[in-house]
Amino acid sequence: MKLIIAAIKPFKLEEVREALTTIGVRGMMVTEIKGFGSQSGHTEIYRGAEYAVNFVPKVRLEIVVSDALADQVVETIRSTARTDKIGDGKIFVLDVEQAVRVRTGEINDDAL
């Protein structure tokens, strides 16, 4: 099993969710986060005053899938979340040692 963590632009969330559902992803966790990467924030003007925005709003997706589905999930997120502008996000893939469904006690792939 793989844990896929993706940080994407918030306005892409629904489009990414729909694309993942289409390929068979049955669940994910979503968290609103702030961060910065190579763009290192930016400046904005609000009511005539300029101020620095050091952290940019993002959405963090956490998805656990079988090894066989992992590459397809990564490619689906990458292609759907892409805007060709700086700050599109990052995707990380980690190994998952064990998964347990709380309600039934099913483990690993059965728990997904």
Side-chain angles (χ1 to χ4, degrees):
M1 293 175 299
K2 300 291 184 189
L3 168 61
I4 300 168
I5 300 172
I8 64 171
K9 292 182 175 183
F11 70 87
K12 284 292 198 170
L13 175 60
E14 190 58 29
E15 189 178 345
V16 169
R17 186 198 62 78
E18 289 174 4
L20 290 172
T21 301
T22 300
I23 65 165
V25 172
R26 296 182 356 181
M28 71 178 71
M29 292 178 280
V30 178
T31 310
E32 292 180 6
I33 61 171
K34 292 181 181 182
F36 72 91
S38 56
Q39 82 269 26
S40 300
H42 60 280
T43 59
E44 289 185 3
I45 297 176
Y46 179 71
R47 293 189 176 178
E50 187 174 296
Y51 65 98
V53 178
N54 294 321
F55 293 97
V56 179
K58 299 285 184 188
V59 174
R60 175 183 168 136
L61 308 177
E62 295 176 72
I63 307 160
V64 179
V65 295
S66 65
D67 290 339
L69 191 56
D71 288 340
Q72 188 178 8
V73 168
V74 169
E75 180 54 28
T76 299
I77 295 169
R78 190 201 65 75
S79 63
T80 308
R82 183 176 178 181
T83 67
D84 288 328
K85 293 187 172 58
I86 195 164
D88 275 351
K90 294 277 192 297
I91 303 171
F92 304 99
V93 181
L94 294 79
D95 288 323
V96 173
E97 190 172 314
Q98 183 179 22
V100 179
R101 185 185 306 267
V102 173
R103 179 177 53 87
T104 63
E106 293 169 296
I107 60 169
N108 298 334
D109 284 338
D110 293 334
L112 302 179

